[in-house]
Amino acid sequence: IDYMCNSHWNQDVKQFGTANSYGIGTDEIPECKVLLFELKELVEKTIGFQIEPINTYCRIYNKDAELSHHIDRNDVDATISICLEKTFKEDYPLYSYDYDGTLHFKDIKVGDGMLIFNSHELEHWREKLECDKNDYAFYMFLLWKIKK
């Protein structure tokens, strides 16, 4: 799992609300929820905070799908995006800005994931997917909040 640690510099970040994306999504798949608990200790060690699970979400991105620029809900402190399956060879990166405006991006290969800490403050997105009409990418998202 790659880790995008973006230390907080008290910079104002525009609230983008719920992402307006095109694709097929669902939440709370039991097999995905298992990973929410299995990866908890690794995420805590990586970010340096104790966390509590919130929920999981899965999405299939097909031709022309995109995830608009957004930040996560206020209760989400850490998000992992894991690629479960991808039927095309081209990269389909996840983009994010750091607090200083630096752009980061990573193509997440099948079986790999990327952790974004402070995902409720850091804008992230995926561009429009250019692929054949029968191709797709399947991602799982795991969401945690810092334990108070």
Side-chain angles (χ1 to χ4, degrees), residues 1 5 9 16 30 35 51 54 57 70-71 76 82 86-88 91 105 119 123 127 131:
I1 293 176
C5 177
W9 294 2
F16 289 90
L35 283 176
I51 55 175
I54 299 175
Y57 185 76
H70 72 285
I71 58 177
V76 178
I82 299 173
K86 193 168 109 174
T87 62
F88 52 91
D91 289 351
F105 58 94
S119 60
E123 182 182 357
E127 299 291 341
C131 66

Side-chain angles (χ1 to χ4, degrees), residues 11-120:
Q11 180 178 342
D12 289 335
V13 177
K14 181 180 177 187
Q15 174 72 37
F16 289 90
T18 304
N20 179 15
S21 61
Y22 173 73
I24 302 165
T26 186
D27 61 358
E28 299 307 321
I29 297 173
E31 292 81 1
C32 296
K33 201 159 194 170
V34 169
L35 283 176
L36 194 61
F37 293 93
E38 286 186 1
L39 293 175
K40 180 179 178 285
E41 188 176 315
L42 175 62
V43 173
E44 288 176 335
K45 182 178 177 184
T46 303
I47 67 173
F49 293 96
Q50 289 189 331
I51 55 175
E52 297 176 19
I54 299 175
N55 68 285
T56 64
Y57 185 76
C58 291
R59 177 174 293 277
I60 295 173
Y61 294 90
N62 44 20
K63 182 175 174 43
D64 297 329
E66 62 185 316
L67 179 63
S68 62
H69 292 239
H70 72 285
I71 58 177
D72 290 342
R73 302 183 318 253
N74 285 336
D75 65 330
V76 178
D77 294 303
T79 302
I80 290 182
S81 176
I82 299 173
C83 182
L84 300 177
E85 187 173 12
K86 193 168 109 174
T87 62
F88 52 91
K89 293 179 183 176
E90 296 78 22
D91 289 351
Y92 189 48
L94 178 63
Y95 295 88
S96 178
Y97 284 119
D98 203 335
Y99 286 106
D100 66 359
T102 302
L103 176 64
H104 300 271
F105 58 94
K106 173 75 176 168
D107 180 48
I108 304 166
K109 306 294 185 199
V110 174
D112 289 342
M114 186 168 92
L115 169 65
I116 300 178
F117 182 51
N118 289 336
S119 60
H120 65 291

